Amino acid sequence: MQTILFLVCTIPFLTSNIIRMISWIPLLGRNGLINSGLQSAGIVDAPLEWLLYSDFAIVLAYVHLYTMFMVVPIFNCMMRIDRSQIEAAIDAGSNSVRILTDIIIPLCKSGIIIGSIFIFTLVMGDFITVKVMGGGIKANIAILIYNEISLLQYPAAAAGAVVLLVTVITMLVILLRLVDIRKEV
């Protein structure tokens, strides 16, 4: 059952990132399904402007696009958890919150860190999601670099790339100090 559910989660990845991202526009738009549904139900009087071309839309698209990059390493770690540890905790009288905080999360720490590395590096280099879901009015360092290259401002683009590189390497060093990745691969 776990494998079947895992495969069901991978079905959206059979399409392009751009197609999956653009698919949010008919849902979140001013005349989209969500606004139409809220207006017809009488919950709101006017369309919600913050659903599309906002920070909310960018975060929603990132979650949709990159969830599997976090789920896969955590799933891998959870598959290695010895079920007898959980059963022993239950027999010892632990509740589900205590089992989660004392057994499952510490044993999944490496999967969480590896997933965080994947997500962080992908998000730092992604400029299409911010450009499309932000409506061209939001920016990040990748868009800055893209714009500088488009304007043939190579020194400024190189400076932005160095800042991005140093930031990513610094975060990777910090995250890699938290887990020995050689044991996990």
Side-chain angles (χ1 to χ4, degrees):
M1 187 61 171
Q2 290 173 344
T3 306
I4 291 170
L5 290 174
F6 185 73
L7 289 174
V8 167
C9 289
T10 61
I11 288 174
F13 283 86
L14 298 176
T15 61
S16 165
N17 270 2
I18 295 174
I19 292 171
R20 285 186 285 138
M21 178 184 43
I22 291 174
S23 68
W24 282 104
I25 293 174
L27 293 172
L28 301 176
R30 185 168 171 72
N31 297 320
L33 291 175
I34 293 175
N35 272 325
S36 298
L38 290 172
Q39 284 179 316
S40 64
I43 297 172
V44 295
D45 296 328
L48 300 174
E49 299 292 333
W50 56 267
L51 287 179
L52 187 61
Y53 306 132
S54 64
D55 292 334
F56 169 78
I58 294 168
V59 170
L60 183 67
Y62 276 147
V63 169
H64 180 229
L65 294 174
Y66 298 131
T67 298
M68 284 303 288
F69 292 100
M70 183 63 89
V71 169
V72 170
I74 294 172
F75 178 78
N76 186 30
C77 287
M78 290 183 83
M79 291 299 293
R80 290 193 243 153
I81 294 176
D82 187 10
R83 304 227 187 269
S84 63
Q85 291 179 336
I86 296 171
E87 291 172 10
I90 292 170
D91 292 343
S94 293
N95 60 14
S96 57
V97 173
R98 181 119 179 157
I99 292 171
L100 180 69
T101 57
D102 292 346
I103 297 172
I104 295 175
I105 291 177
L107 291 175
C108 291
K109 182 176 86 169
S110 60
I112 294 168
I113 299 295
I114 291 169
S116 298
I117 290 169
F118 288 157
I119 299 295
F120 182 75
T121 54
L122 288 169
V123 167
M124 289 302 283
D126 186 0
F127 66 94
I128 295 295
T129 303
V130 175
K131 196 167 193 160
V132 171
M133 298 306 284
I137 57 174
K138 302 291 181 179
N140 66 358
I141 187 94
I143 288 178
L144 174 76
I145 295 169
Y146 174 78
N147 289 339
E148 294 295 339
I149 290 173
S150 298
L151 297 171
L152 303 176
Q153 299 295 321
Y154 297 121
V162 169
V163 168
L164 178 62
L165 181 65
V166 168
T167 304
V168 170
I169 289 174
T170 303
M171 287 304 296
L172 289 178
V173 166
I174 292 168
L175 290 172
L176 289 174
R177 290 200 182 259
L178 298 173
V179 67
D180 186 9
I181 199 161
R182 289 172 288 191
K183 289 182 182 177
E184 301 304 321
V185 176

